Every structure is written in structure tokens, then in C-alpha cells.
Amino acid sequence: MTDVLAAYNLTKAYSSGCQALKGLSLSVQKGECVGLVGESGSGKSTLARCLLLLEKMDEGAVFLHGQPLHLLGKKALRNMRRHMQAVFQHPAAALNPRLKIIDSVMEALDVYRDACPSYLRDVREQREQCAKRLFDMVGLESRFLYSYPHELSGGQKQRAVIARAISIQPSFIVFDEPTASLDMYTQGQILALLKELQRQLGLSYLFISHDVSAVCALSDRIMVMKEGRAVDHFFTEDIFSPERHPYTQKLVNLFAQ
Ligand code: ADP
Ligand code: MG
């Protein structure tokens, strides 16, 4: 097995004095989904932003395909960034309200002009056809190509964000609470879509949620975070094992109610 992503000893304190990450390590292998679960404030989003190098960490190392992201210069980092995408909780915030959906979905491909995912090979030269193919892959009707974000439901907006994320064939995607703003039915649909895309495209995921059942539905392995540390780490099928950390058992019980 090869690590697509490996991070070591991530440490981060905010200027407020809050120690959000206290030496956390994790790895994600090819085609694997690692779930990260923990209560609100445990440091999950800070971890996501540090992995994506959107947030400066105090200490730690992040490797993507063996490349040390934390040591790369701007240009090299830009080249590596196309392999790593992110989907956050609020799709409305991720889409420019003044851009038509086609332009948001094509944003990454417009920047990485030489990117040609295998699934867009025969249409890469035709922008609208590319967008249509991506819409199709995420279950978004092509009648929304020239719509604006406010004309779409929350679930449809998140599908558009996911389309943009897969548009440049990344190998690794971080999902930070991607379904938390959606109703239960739409949550299920989006989880099913993520699972299907992962299978089809051989993607590696870090799936972050405070919702144990969502994490279980998608992940091969689960890490439990508490106060900036990983307190437990196990294969999903072992979640009910009596050997689980008491904190994991507490989280599981909360959701079993
Ligand atoms: P989670 O995603 O698990 O809810 P966060 O990573 O958002 O956790 O937050 C972890 C801790 O860091 C919390 O105590 C939070 O208040 C604090 N925190 C997060 N972002 C900031 C920030 N920009 N400035 C100061 N403190 C922050
Ligand atoms: Mg968060």
C-alpha cells in the first residue's frame, strides 16, 4: 500500500492561545477513505486547513505523493495543489454568487489549462461539453449550466462544488462536514454520490464529520479526535469493539440514541 497523504506531528496554536492541534499524525492510502470524527471544537477543521496548507502550522510535515508540501516553494506547491481538493460545509460560500454554475465548475480547469482528466479526454477542448460531463458525473441536470447559485438547492450546490473538485482529477479530497448543512434525505444522496465517485475514480478521501453514522457509512478507517489529539484509531468494522477508547464509545452512544 502506498500513502497518498501522510502528515506527521501537526501542531497549531491560534494567537488567541487556543492549542487546536497537539501533535497529530495521519495517513491516507490510495483508494482509501479515512474518517475523522470528534465533537465540535476538537480541531477537525484546523487539521483540514493545515493539511491543505491553507493555515500555517507551528510544527509538522505534510507529504502528498511523497512530496513535502510544507517545504515547497509557491510554484511547486501550485503544481501539487491540483492533486488535492477540498469540499467544505457550506456550498453557498464555496460558489461565487455572481458566477454561473458552469463558470464555477470550470474554475479549476480554467486555471490548470493543461489538466486533462481521463474522463474528459474526448471533450477537453469543448468547455461546455466538459462541464456537461462533470454535471453528469455528480448527478446535476445540465439545465443548471447557466443558472446562478441562488437558483439551486443546497444539495445541488454541493454537487456543483464536488464537480469542481473532481474536474482536475485529484488523487486526494478533504471533505469537512460536507453534508452538515443539508437535510437528512439529501445527506444520504450526497454520501452515496461520494462513495460512487471514490469507487469509479479510485480517489482517496479524508472525510471529516461530527456525525458518527456518516463517517461509518463512507470510511475504511476512523480516527477519533479530542482536544487536538487523536485518541483512537481503528477499522470501521471494529467500532463496536469493547476495546474502543471510552471517548469513542461515548460518541457512538450519542448517535445510537
Ligand atoms: P472543529 O472543526 O472540530 O469544530 P476547529 O478546528 O474549528 O474544530 O477548532 C478547534 C479549536 O480552535 C476551537 O477551540 C476553536 O475555537 C479554535 N479556533 C478555530 N479557528 C480559530 C481561529 N481562527 N482563531 C482562534 N481560534 C480558533
Ligand atoms: Mg469544523
Side-chain angles (χ1 to χ4, degrees), residues 29 45 92 132 146 161 204 217 239:
Q29 292 169 348
S45 294
K132 272 191 177 158
Y146 296 96
V161 173
S204 305
I239 190 162

Side-chain angles (χ1 to χ4, degrees), residues 40-41 43-46 49 89 176-177 208:
S40 174
K44 305 183 298 297
S45 294
T46 303
R49 291 195 300 270
Q89 176 173 353
D176 188 359
E177 308 266 11
I208 301 177

Side-chain angles (χ1 to χ4, degrees), residues 14 16 18 20 38-47 49 55 176:
Y14 288 105
S16 61
C18 171
E39 281 172 337
S40 174
S42 55
K44 305 183 298 297
S45 294
T46 303
L47 173 73
R49 291 195 300 270
E55 187 104 65
D176 188 359

Side-chain angles (χ1 to χ4, degrees), residues 1-256:
M1 282 283 211
T2 39
D3 285 343
V4 168
L5 179 106
Y8 303 98
N9 191 33
L10 303 184
T11 305
K12 167 80 186 173
Y14 288 105
S15 50
S16 61
C18 171
Q19 186 81 40
L21 294 179
K22 299 172 184 165
L24 198 132
S25 302
L26 87 159
S27 67
V28 183
Q29 292 169 348
K30 184 161 167 40
E32 187 185 37
C33 176
V34 173
L36 182 66
V37 69
E39 281 172 337
S40 174
S42 55
K44 305 183 298 297
S45 294
T46 303
L47 173 73
R49 291 195 300 270
C50 286
L51 289 178
L52 296 158
L53 268 74
L54 298 174
E55 187 104 65
K56 205 172 159 8
M57 41 198 184
D58 301 328
E59 264 185 75
V62 179
F63 297 86
L64 185 67
H65 293 293
Q67 294 284 316
L69 298 187
H70 55 291
L71 298 178
L72 295 183
K74 266 204 182 121
K75 187 153 181 264
L77 186 60
R78 184 181 170 279
N79 277 332
M80 284 309 287
R81 270 198 194 283
R82 63 183 269 189
H83 301 294
M84 181 152 90
Q85 290 290 303
V87 175
F88 296 105
Q89 176 173 353
H90 298 291
L95 297 171
N96 184 334
R98 285 184 293 274
L99 287 187
K100 296 188 174 91
I101 299 297
I102 180 174
D103 296 323
S104 284
V105 165
M106 293 299 287
E107 243 174 358
L109 269 176
D110 287 341
V111 171
Y112 294 98
R113 288 179 181 279
D114 56 338
C116 186
S118 50
Y119 35 90
L120 297 179
R121 196 162 288 144
D122 54 326
V123 290
R124 181 66 184 98
E125 298 311 316
Q126 304 142 278
R127 192 168 180 272
E128 191 185 75
Q129 292 304 317
C130 270
K132 272 191 177 158
R133 176 79 51 87
L134 291 166
F135 269 48
D136 206 37
M137 289 174 74
V138 299
L140 200 54
E141 294 165 59
S142 51
R143 67 187 169 98
F144 292 120
L145 275 170
Y146 296 96
S147 303
Y148 286 92
H150 74 267
E151 300 172 74
L152 273 62
S153 70
Q156 287 163 340
K157 282 196 273 275
Q158 199 59 303
R159 287 178 194 270
V161 173
I162 294 166
R164 177 175 57 194
I166 61 166
S167 69
I168 47 176
Q169 202 165 24
S171 43
F172 176 64
I173 308 182
V174 178
F175 296 92
D176 188 359
E177 308 266 11
T179 61
S181 66
L182 307 173
D183 63 71
M184 285 292 281
Y185 176 70
T186 312
Q187 283 189 20
Q189 285 188 326
I190 296 289
L191 288 178
L193 170 67
L194 296 183
K195 202 163 193 167
E196 177 57 21
L197 287 174
Q198 188 194 17
R199 193 192 58 78
Q200 263 180 28
L201 309 180
L203 296 165
S204 305
Y205 287 169
L206 178 67
F207 182 83
I208 301 177
S209 179
H210 66 281
D211 178 344
V212 176
S213 53
V215 167
C216 283
L218 218 60
S219 311
D220 303 295
R221 271 191 295 141
I222 297 178
M223 230 170 84
V224 178
M225 258 184 96
K226 184 177 194 284
E227 294 167 10
R229 288 197 177 87
V231 294
D232 204 0
H233 186 191
F234 49 89
F235 286 104
T236 305
E237 64 255 34
D238 295 330
I239 190 162
F240 295 114
S241 151
E243 287 152 41
R244 291 278 62 79
H245 189 282
Y247 185 69
T248 306
Q249 294 182 358
K250 187 185 135 192
L251 287 182
V252 170
N253 290 338
L254 273 176
F255 274 87

